[in-house]
């Protein structure tokens, strides 16, 4: 068995405190420990001790039977985060050890179709018919070559590891020959798992839908009611978009707390590690009208970190309503998210429409104690996607709400050029003002929530669409350069949609460079909102950073539209 899932009973660990657990888990093992405040285990609850030894050793065990009583690994839930934090702290004080990769060629060389043909047996689900939640596991192999350890924490505080076994899976079609090959190859070893998914009656009481998936590095995905998987959250981002290369921390071990039969909230713990940082995480997941995850994290730096990304979100934007390049695609739009939404401590809302740029784009928005930020799929109209398989109109939006003050820093948006929808090319996260140095530790808490088009707390008109075209007039003999663009930004909201067209609505527009002309504000037909139209002439090759909001008299009544136009983006 692998060290991180192996259980040992040592008579040397005699103290009935959590010190033994802290030291043992730091070494990568789980040890039996008793808490004097916890009830003693019954005979049926105790784990039998299996001893393989010589005759002399057997005699010694017999003589010391009282000392080597069978015991459970018991850690009360309220102590588990403390235990994992201590392990993370010790990991950060030691040289980094990379996760051991699979050595079974049958799994390292497996293709996408073969991997998809390995399916978890639903009847083998963890906690099946015992709780509103069920857990299904992911098979190691294919892209997932560094298996993770998964444990459960039972109601009696007993920690149980979930070992890999082929009985969990169906090996269908071309994957059929793998079952025997894997069983033979791992006779005396332990593979671990590629991850897990949580099932819960999200949409009705008759069926338990997938509500969350933890698989790959520190990635996890969530859905709310009637949504399908899209963008991903991550535990941590390290050195994203730097020339030195990005580092991807990994959740190397999980602890899933078994809920009571009618619990609607489930608690998960994870241990994160990477060359630069280690950390302990607590996730409290509650699916309801949306899915919420309260996250508590404590991280420790093993070495200096150039850029630390807190609460990162990763998504995809291939093309959309604001694209200026030609895409040979029958679908009008293809994206998991279409904008970055932010709210300042003072309550100002900012919307930044996403783009698939010609070159890597990194944009920063400075804040002190922001109220939140997130990536949104605001466009929920199927007719704007026409995709009956990917269901982009049902992809979730996600909002990060800091719990407590985060101080000064910035929300950073990274947009990476891509020529396919299979690449996640959008990343957003919070960067603290002070860089993290070796030996530092930081703690953050936040709530991550799914939503659809808009947040219930957003009380101002929002951007409905952003469209960009040539600034040339039809039939113009001497048209302006292609870099000169016509912008139309439409705002919509319950309040402004009902305003009379006679109101003197004003557009507050600022540019970092270049010239603006032909700015107009007009009401859209059938109370659909208001449009601001204008033309932009860039100054040479300088990017044009724009800010736009609607004002009624002197009061701002909309969120702020933020956009950067790159003059060389036209193809």
């Amino acid at each position: 068995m692998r060290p991180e899932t192996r259980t040992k009973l040592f008579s040397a660990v005699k103290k009935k405190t959590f010190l033994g657990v802290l030291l043992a888990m730091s070494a990568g093992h789980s040890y039996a420990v008793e808490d004097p405040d916890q009830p003693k285990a019954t005979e049926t609850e105790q784990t039998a001790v299996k001893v393989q030894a010589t005759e002399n050793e057997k005699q010694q065990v017999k003589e010391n039977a009282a000392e080597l009583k069978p015991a459970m690994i018991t850690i009360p839930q309220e102590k588990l985060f403390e235990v994992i934090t201590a392990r993370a702290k010790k990991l950060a004080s030691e040289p980094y050890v990379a996760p051991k990769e699979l050595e079974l060629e049958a799994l390292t060389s497996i293709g996408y179709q073969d991997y998809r043909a390995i399916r978890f047996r639903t009847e083998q689900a963890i906690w099946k018919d015992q709780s509103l939640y069920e857990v299904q596991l992911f098979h190691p192999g294919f892209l997932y070559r560094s298996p993770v350890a998964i444990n459960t924490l039972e109601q009696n505080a007993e920690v149980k590891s979930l070992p890999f076994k082929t009985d969990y899976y169906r090996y269908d079609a071309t994957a059929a020959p793998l079952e025997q090959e894997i069983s033979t190859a791992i006779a005396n070893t332990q593979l671990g798992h590629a991850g897990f998914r949580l099932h819960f009656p999200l949409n009705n009481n008759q069926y338990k839908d997938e509500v969350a998936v933890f698989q790959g590095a520190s990635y996890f995905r969530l859905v709310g009611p009637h949504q399908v998987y899209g963008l991903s959250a991550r535990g941590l981002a390290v050195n994203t978009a730097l020339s030195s290369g990005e580092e991807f921390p990994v959740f190397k071990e999980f602890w899933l707390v078994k809920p009571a039969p009618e619990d609607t909230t489930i608690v998960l713990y994870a241990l994160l590690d990477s060359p630069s940082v280690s950390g302990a995480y607590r996730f409290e997941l509650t699916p309801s009208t949306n899915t919420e995850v309260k996250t508590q994290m404590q991280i420790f730096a093993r070495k200096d970190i150039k850029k630390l990304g807190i609460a990162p979100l990763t998504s995809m934007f291939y093309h959309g309503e604001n694209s200026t390049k030609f895409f040979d695609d029958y679908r009008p739009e293809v994206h998991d998210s279409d904008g970055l939404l932010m709210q300042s401590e003072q309550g100002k809302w900012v919307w930044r429409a996403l783009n698939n740029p010609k070159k890597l784009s990194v944009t920063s928005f400075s804040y002190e104690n922001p109220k939140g930020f997130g990536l949104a799929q605001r466009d929920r109209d199927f007719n704007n996607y026409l995709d009956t398989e990917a269901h982009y109109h049902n992809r979730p939006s996600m909002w990060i709400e800091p719990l407590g003050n985060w101080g000064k820093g910035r929300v950073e948006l990274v947009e990476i050029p891509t020529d396919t929808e299979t690449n996640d090319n959008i990343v957003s996260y919070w960067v603290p003002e002070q860089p993290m140095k070796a030996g530092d530790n930081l703690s953050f808490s936040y709530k991550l929530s799914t939503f659809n088009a808009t947040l219930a707390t957003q009380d101002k008109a929002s951007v409905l669409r952003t469209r960009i075209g040539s600034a040339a007039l039809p039939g113009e003999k001497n048209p302006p350069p292609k870099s000169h663009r016509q912008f139309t930004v439409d705002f919509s909201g319950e309040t402004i949609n009902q305003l009379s067209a006679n109101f003197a609505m004003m557009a507050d527009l600022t540019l970092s460079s270049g010239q603006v002309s032909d700015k107009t504000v007009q009401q859209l037909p059938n109370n659909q909102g208001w449009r601001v139209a204008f033309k932009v002439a860039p100054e040479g090759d300088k990017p044009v950073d724009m800010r736009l909001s609607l004002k009624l008299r002197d009061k701002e009544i909309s969120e702020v539209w933020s956009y950067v136009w790159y003059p060389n983006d036209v193809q």
Side-chain angles (χ1 to χ4, degrees):
M1 300 177 75
R2 291 187 56 162
E4 55 265 43
T5 58
R6 187 187 314 154
T7 302
K8 290 185 175 181
L9 300 176
F10 281 131
S11 58
V13 184
K14 295 179 180 178
K15 291 187 178 180
K16 295 182 178 180
T17 68
F18 286 98
L19 179 60
V21 170
L22 299 180
L23 295 176
M25 293 184 73
S26 297
H29 301 281
S30 298
Y31 288 80
V33 125
E34 296 178 3
D35 185 351
D37 297 327
Q38 294 297 311
K40 302 297 181 181
T42 65
E43 285 293 330
T44 56
E45 292 173 323
Q46 293 175 340
T47 305
V49 178
K50 296 181 180 179
V51 181
Q52 296 178 346
T54 64
E55 290 301 322
N56 289 339
E57 289 172 330
K58 290 179 181 179
Q59 180 62 31
Q60 183 67 36
V61 169
K62 185 176 181 180
E63 293 173 358
N64 296 313
E67 187 173 306
L68 286 175
K69 286 182 179 179
M72 296 185 302
I73 309 166
T74 57
I75 307 175
Q77 185 189 154
E78 61 270 17
K79 294 287 186 178
L80 186 51
F81 188 71
E82 177 186 334
V83 169
I84 300 169
T85 299
R87 183 173 169 188
K89 182 177 181 180
K90 192 166 191 305
L91 275 175
S93 69
E94 301 169 344
Y96 175 68
V97 178
K100 186 177 180 181
E101 292 199 353
L102 293 171
E103 296 178 354
L104 184 57
E105 185 179 355
L107 291 176
T108 58
S109 62
I110 190 174
Y112 174 71
Q113 293 300 333
D114 290 344
Y115 185 73
R116 281 179 55 88
I118 304 174
R119 304 177 185 278
F120 189 87
R121 296 181 182 274
T122 56
E123 68 274 13
Q124 294 279 3
I126 314 303
W127 307 327
K128 186 170 180 62
D129 300 327
Q130 300 175 38
S131 162
L132 291 175
Y133 287 92
E134 292 179 0
V135 180
Q136 296 186 16
L137 305 171
F138 287 110
H139 201 290
F142 185 49
L143 300 176
Y144 309 102
R145 300 185 179 186
S146 299
V148 299
I150 301 176
N151 311 281
T152 61
L153 182 66
E154 304 299 309
Q155 291 295 311
N156 61 358
E158 181 183 4
V159 177
K160 292 182 178 179
S161 65
L162 289 178
F164 171 88
K165 54 185 180 181
T166 54
D167 291 347
Y168 280 140
Y169 302 94
R170 296 197 330 264
Y171 297 82
D172 296 333
T174 54
L178 289 175
E179 182 171 9
Q180 184 57 48
E181 187 175 353
I182 294 170
S183 298
T184 302
I186 66 168
N188 298 307
T189 60
Q190 179 52 240
L191 280 183
H193 309 278
F196 63 92
R197 58 193 177 205
L198 296 174
H199 290 246
F200 179 86
L202 181 66
N203 296 306
N204 60 65
N205 288 326
Q206 288 71 47
Y207 181 78
K208 293 182 178 179
D209 307 272
E210 283 187 48
V211 68
V213 167
F214 286 76
Q215 186 181 25
S218 67
Y219 286 82
F220 60 99
R221 295 189 292 171
L222 308 169
V223 289
H226 308 295
Q227 294 177 344
V228 299
Y229 286 127
L231 79 167
S232 300
R234 279 195 272 169
L236 200 65
V238 176
N239 296 336
T240 305
L242 295 185
S243 58
S244 57
E246 183 170 1
E247 179 178 304
F248 291 90
V250 172
F251 286 140
K252 62 185 296 182
E253 189 162 2
F254 292 93
W255 293 261
L256 318 181
V257 181
K258 183 178 182 179
E262 296 302 319
D263 281 354
T264 56
T265 294
I266 187 170
V267 177
L268 321 170
Y269 296 85
L271 174 67
L272 177 138
D273 198 21
S274 78
S276 297
V277 64
S278 62
Y281 285 72
R282 182 184 187 273
F283 302 100
E284 185 177 309
L285 186 147
T286 306
S288 184
T289 53
N290 60 359
T291 297
E292 295 183 353
V293 180
K294 291 182 180 177
T295 302
Q296 179 184 358
M297 55 181 284
Q298 180 82 38
I299 57 175
F300 303 87
R302 185 179 273 114
K303 59 183 182 181
D304 294 352
I305 299 173
K306 294 180 181 178
K307 186 200 295 184
L308 186 68
I310 305 298
L313 298 174
T314 300
S315 193
M316 178 275 295
F317 185 95
Y318 183 34
H319 62 91
E321 63 195 17
N322 56 313
S323 296
T324 56
K325 294 178 284 188
F326 172 72
F327 291 88
D328 194 7
D329 196 327
Y330 74 91
R331 300 165 297 178
E333 301 181 39
V334 177
H335 48 74
D336 285 333
S337 306
D338 54 11
L340 170 66
L341 181 65
M342 296 161 283
Q343 188 184 24
S344 71
E345 185 179 27
Q346 295 74 30
K348 182 183 285 290
W349 295 92
V350 176
W351 171 259
R352 166 67 189 274
L354 299 179
N355 189 26
N356 181 358
K358 190 174 181 180
K359 296 181 179 179
L360 174 70
S361 171
V362 180
T363 310
S364 294
F365 303 85
S366 296
Y367 288 104
E368 182 173 358
N369 299 320
K371 288 188 176 181
F373 68 94
L375 292 174
Q377 184 75 318
R378 188 169 274 183
D379 190 340
R380 317 297 293 182
D381 188 345
F382 167 78
N383 292 316
N384 292 335
Y385 302 96
L386 301 178
D387 196 319
T388 56
E389 295 182 3
H391 300 284
Y392 287 114
H393 61 293
N394 286 332
R395 301 291 172 111
S397 303
M398 288 194 187
W399 181 248
I400 304 292
E401 178 187 345
L403 301 177
N405 292 334
W406 281 13
K408 292 183 179 180
R410 66 185 189 269
V411 175
E412 192 164 275
L413 173 65
V414 179
E415 297 167 300
I416 306 168
T418 183
D419 58 3
T420 173
E421 65 194 279
T422 60
N423 292 336
D424 282 346
N425 64 322
I426 303 295
V427 192
S428 183
Y429 42 78
W430 171 257
V431 181
E433 182 179 58
Q434 297 298 322
M436 196 174 189
K437 301 292 185 180
D440 288 351
N441 70 87
L442 291 174
S443 61
F444 289 89
S445 295
Y446 58 92
K447 182 171 68 175
L448 195 161
S449 306
T450 64
F451 67 101
N452 288 321
T454 56
L455 288 164
T457 55
Q458 190 169 1
D459 56 355
K460 291 187 176 182
S462 57
V463 175
L464 181 64
R465 64 180 69 88
T466 300
R467 292 194 175 273
I468 307 171
S470 170
L473 297 172
E476 191 173 2
K477 291 184 178 180
N478 296 304
K482 287 186 177 181
S483 61
H484 291 215
R485 309 307 289 173
Q486 168 77 54
F487 285 83
T488 62
V489 182
D490 295 343
F491 293 85
S492 179
E494 184 177 353
T495 302
I496 71 165
N497 290 3
Q498 304 304 319
L499 290 176
S500 167
N502 295 325
F503 273 104
M505 195 80 75
M506 298 182 63
D508 185 2
L509 175 64
T510 60
L511 279 65
S512 62
S513 63
Q515 298 294 322
V516 64
S517 63
D518 300 337
K519 184 177 69 173
T520 61
V521 182
Q522 58 182 320
Q523 189 178 49
L524 296 173
N526 303 319
N527 296 324
Q528 294 182 68
W530 293 74
R531 171 170 294 180
V532 179
F534 56 95
K535 293 179 180 179
V536 171
E539 183 182 334
D541 291 333
K542 282 186 179 180
V544 185
D545 191 347
M546 296 171 277
R547 294 284 181 110
L548 167 68
S549 62
L550 283 177
K551 285 190 173 181
L552 183 60
R553 299 185 178 92
D554 60 346
K555 183 179 180 182
E556 189 174 74
I557 60 172
S558 75
E559 66 187 9
V560 176
W561 172 84
S562 170
Y563 202 82
V564 177
W565 169 248
Y566 296 91
N568 61 356
D569 240 8
V570 180
Q571 292 184 357

